[in-house]
Amino acid sequence: MTNRVSTSGTDITLYGEMTIYHAAALKEAIGAAVAQIHGNWHVHLSEVTELDTAGVQLLLGLREYARQRACELRFVQPSAMVREVLELLQIPSLDQAVEGQS
Amino acid sequence: MNLNDALPGFIAECADLLREMEEGLLRCANDAPDAETVNLIFRCAHTVKGSAGLFGLDAIVSFVHVVETVLDSVRLERITVTDELITLLLACKDHIQLLVNQVDQGVSADPSAIAGGEDLLQKLRHWVTDPHATVAAEHTGSPALATNIASASTVIADWLLAIRFSLGVLKAGMDPLSFLRYLRSFCELREVRVLQDGWPSWDELDPEQCYLGFEIELRSDAERGRITGAFDFIKDDCQIQLTQLNARVAVPDPAEGAKRTAAAASGTRENPKAAASSVASRSVRVDSEKLDTLITRIGELIIAAAGINSLAHTRGDGALEEQASTLTSLVEQVREGALQLRMVRIGGTFERFQRVVHDVSRELGKEINLELQGKDTELDKTVVEQIGDPLTHLVRNAIDHGIESAEVRARCGKPAAGTIRLNAFHDSGNIVIQVSDDGGGLRKDRILAKARERGLIQEDRTLADTEIFQLIFEPGFSTAEQVTNLSGRGVGMDVVKRNITALRGSVAIESTEGQGTTVTVRLPLTLAIINGFQIAVGSSNFVLPLDAVEECLELPAQSSHDFTELRGKALPFVRLRELVGNAEPTSRRPSIVVVRNGAERAGIVVDTLLGELQTVIKPLARMFNKVDYVSGSTILGNGEVALVLDVPALLGQAVSRGWSRKAL
């Protein structure tokens, strides 16, 4: 299976299709990636080519996770596909800001 | 987790919708179009488009979109419904069906289909952009239509839609986002809130389940049914709550508007659809292959039960015999039930002829009314499927050759519009389908002349009417003076007869010159299982369909000729022993089984009468095709094979022998 998630420092980049077909593998990979990061999470979405409900759910789930761990979460450079979906769902921003840090 | 699993459902849904659309269009062609019908047609096209979009079938979506645009203009009264438009839309419906079929068969569109589609699109665009059409509509639109449409289209309401999905919706291959996209195509999504309450923590989150819900404020001129209809495709996988927040009317008169709003809010408008869908939800779609397998198994069960029955009988075990007879009666009920499952109303097939009549009558410039009777008559699904083509041929023939041109009809004092009548009813285990017309009738002299010319009959032979009419089923026989596009080339009636005979049916013609023709097709109700009457010649067993058997008599001792007397009437008969060439000696006095097919009666002389049984007909191998008095074989309870006799064929033999003997 191709690499769907890569990390470098506090940056996490997601690749390819964020769909139900890959949701299980993606969740595991994202979980593993964030576990290595101490501090704030920056998630790059520029390489996401497809996003369905399962994908949206993962992003929203990740936000909850960040909130729970009191991490700051920023989503960076959403691809056109991601922007289209966020627009449809009228989600202005997925970011999770931690009080006092924003 | 693949959309392909849902594809057969889509194909079947499309077929239903397109059929509904066709019925609607034909209704518009016959009567003045009313708003409800126009809405129905529009909804059908719209739903097809929406579903096709879910499967990413872009070719269908883009084509239907143009059709929908035209229909919308009709709905909004921008264009008037003309005959020409109906014909065009019918052609479009055919093209959509073609596209859907191609998806079904997994083939890509062939060039001629693409060209056909382009051609239709050209014509459709002409309708949407034609400025004259708009002007015409203002003058000719019916007032009832105008007000109805207006009230439907000018109420703009705000709605609150709350939707929750089942956990498994994603695994079922559905993506709730696509439904939102679809909703967006006709609603303004003013505010979308993603409901995230009750979510599991990240660790417990199963990424393949759906926890999402939406609350959407939307503004639309669509009716309630149309909004909830957007989610029809996943209605088993979601809960929808739709609340109307307010309604605004986009017409200047507020009083009028309030009334309309009330009407729209009370939801009277969606009733027809609601009723239709509740009917649909009470029935289940079953793959016909599953049904066939079930019937085959029940067939085996019947044979097994008969085996136990005869075993119990030979053992002389009373208790076992009693149990066996209980089993038999239960099996019989199961068989009845299973066969009932395969029974479908002939109405669906009949309705198809509305279209045939519409097309053919326009092609020939004749005005034709189609009357349908006995639409609720039920018959086996396989029979229904196979009777369509022969019936189409008969109907086309009736329109082309039967019904005269308007001038000729006027001269004969008949109404200008011809009438074609389709009728169906049950008669002694058969279904009878009649195609009648009130046209010119068959001309016996012409048929005879033609038959003599072709050497089909001898010059000096005289024939009964029914025999003369049967001649038109001879291959290559046609008396039409002019060969039209449709028929008259003498290809057809023989094929019709062959198809019907292949279904173990028969076809007869009655005709009165100047008054019309009635073609009567007689078919067995089912092809698979029959109640049989077992008989024997020597040690060979035979089965007659019980429905055809009228009574049994003793053969009078001194009958050397091939007919006897039954209640004052001559009864021709065949000796089965001679027919099958059985030379075993017999000590028994032979019996006559009287069989009937339609109005004809004949006797079959046999050695032994063995009584009733249920039996499964197995087709005979091709090499026995020439044996024309046998329609199949069956396995008896004791494992022996019996031949199933073909009653119409035997009757034919008996009657013709009777005739020839008399002629001698």
Side-chain angles (χ1 to χ4, degrees), chain A:
Chain A
M1 191 186 238
T2 52
N3 200 5
R4 304 209 171 274
V5 179
S6 77
T7 47
S8 117
T10 58
D11 291 349
I12 303 171
T13 312
L14 306 181
Y15 296 92
E17 298 178 8
M18 294 193 69
T19 60
I20 177 76
Y21 298 100
H22 312 296
L26 256 175
K27 189 209 158 192
E28 220 164 280
I30 294 173
V34 297
Q36 295 168 14
I37 299 172
H38 304 286
N40 302 329
W41 303 344
H42 292 127
V43 181
H44 291 254
L45 299 175
S46 56
E47 304 299 320
V48 175
T49 55
E50 214 166 302
L51 186 65
D52 71 354
T53 309
V56 169
Q57 211 169 246
L58 274 183
L59 296 180
L60 293 174
L62 190 60
R63 179 165 73 176
E64 282 303 301
Y65 192 31
R67 187 170 294 160
Q68 186 196 323
R69 308 245 309 221
C71 285
E72 185 190 301
L73 169 65
R74 282 198 192 284
F75 286 96
V76 195
Q77 297 172 334
S79 65
M81 185 63 212
V82 175
R83 263 183 278 133
E84 193 269 330
V85 173
L86 294 184
E87 225 164 80
L88 174 71
L89 296 179
Q90 302 184 10
I91 301 175
S93 162
L94 280 166
D95 294 353
Q96 145 71 10
V98 175
E99 272 168 46
Q101 281 188 356
S102 122

Side-chain angles (χ1 to χ4, degrees), chain B residues 481-555:
Chain B
E481 279 144 5
Q482 84 195 101
V483 172
T484 68
N485 192 18
L486 293 161
S487 43
R489 282 164 298 186
V491 185
M493 287 308 259
D494 58 319
V495 180
V496 169
K497 176 152 190 182
R498 208 166 51 233
N499 287 345
I500 291 169
T501 314
L503 292 167
R504 293 196 279 125
S506 64
V507 51
I509 296 187
E510 281 164 60
S511 180
T512 313
E513 215 171 310
Q515 287 177 26
T517 307
T518 299
V519 182
T520 304
V521 177
R522 199 169 265 279
L523 292 164
L525 276 180
T526 177
L527 300 173
I529 302 176
I530 57 165
N531 278 317
F533 185 74
Q534 194 185 344
I535 52 182
V537 170
S539 58
S540 312
N541 288 299
F542 297 90
V543 173
L544 285 164
L546 187 63
D547 294 320
V549 175
E550 290 229 304
E551 58 187 309
C552 301
L553 325 161
E554 270 193 354
L555 183 71

Side-chain angles (χ1 to χ4, degrees), chain B residues 40-318:
Chain B
L40 173 94
I41 300 167
F42 177 83
R43 234 174 10 232
C44 291
H46 186 76
T47 315
V48 169
K49 185 178 100 169
S51 307
L54 286 172
F55 288 91
L57 303 169
D58 296 338
I60 299 180
V61 174
S62 59
F63 184 80
V64 181
H65 177 75
V66 182
V67 177
E68 195 189 341
T69 315
V70 173
L71 286 171
D72 201 33
S73 304
V74 173
R75 218 160 70 116
L76 299 174
E77 268 250 304
R78 288 205 199 98
I79 49 181
T80 335
V81 179
T82 63
D83 224 39
E84 193 190 344
L85 180 62
I86 297 274
T87 308
L88 174 62
L89 288 171
L90 282 170
C92 289
K93 176 249 145 193
D94 288 347
H95 186 69
I96 300 167
Q97 184 71 63
L98 181 75
L99 293 174
V100 173
N101 289 349
Q102 281 167 347
V103 171
D104 190 19
Q105 291 149 12
V107 293
S108 52
D110 62 278
S112 70
I114 295 171
E118 278 306 315
D119 186 40
L120 290 172
L121 286 177
Q122 279 291 318
K123 288 184 187 156
L124 284 171
R125 292 205 181 95
H126 167 78
W127 274 98
V128 195
T129 51
D130 190 357
H132 300 294
T134 319
V135 178
E138 279 166 17
H139 294 295
T140 54
S142 74
L145 184 64
T147 49
N148 272 337
I149 293 282
S151 65
S153 62
T154 52
V155 177
I156 295 176
D158 284 345
W159 303 84
L160 180 66
L161 175 74
I163 180 159
R164 286 260 175 205
F165 302 95
S166 73
L167 283 176
V169 66
L170 300 178
K171 284 191 182 168
M174 304 292 174
D175 184 4
L177 288 186
S178 57
F179 295 95
L180 287 197
R181 287 200 183 96
Y182 171 58
L183 200 60
R184 192 170 57 175
S185 69
F186 64 92
C187 296
E188 182 193 342
L189 307 185
R190 293 169 61 77
E191 196 179 339
V192 180
R193 283 184 294 275
V194 179
L195 303 176
Q196 235 180 314
D197 48 291
W199 270 40
S201 67
W202 174 262
D203 291 328
E204 283 161 24
L205 184 113
D206 176 349
E208 289 184 357
Q209 300 212 318
C210 185
Y211 305 98
L212 280 180
F214 299 116
E215 239 174 53
I216 305 164
E217 265 182 56
L218 46 90
R219 176 169 291 178
S220 175
D221 62 353
E223 305 147 28
R224 171 183 288 272
R226 189 159 169 223
I227 298 171
T228 53
F231 296 90
D232 264 357
F233 209 62
I234 49 167
K235 64 169 174 265
D236 295 338
D237 272 316
C238 68
Q239 294 168 345
I240 302 175
Q241 236 184 349
L242 183 64
T243 327
Q244 184 165 6
L245 300 174
N246 61 55
R248 293 180 306 138
V249 179
V251 284
D253 183 355
E256 187 74 0
K259 250 187 275 166
R260 285 174 186 165
T261 315
S266 68
T268 43
R269 210 161 263 299
E270 29 180 306
N271 274 349
K273 194 176 181 198
S277 70
S278 75
V279 168
S281 64
R282 266 190 280 128
S283 62
V284 185
R285 254 180 224 287
V286 180
D287 193 341
S288 63
E289 243 171 67
K290 283 189 193 166
L291 217 52
D292 288 346
T293 319
L294 178 70
I295 303 271
T296 318
R297 290 276 176 282
I298 289 174
E300 307 291 334
L301 190 63
I302 289 169
I303 292 171
I308 290 180
N309 234 349
S310 72
L311 205 62
H313 196 66
T314 45
R315 291 249 173 121
D317 182 336

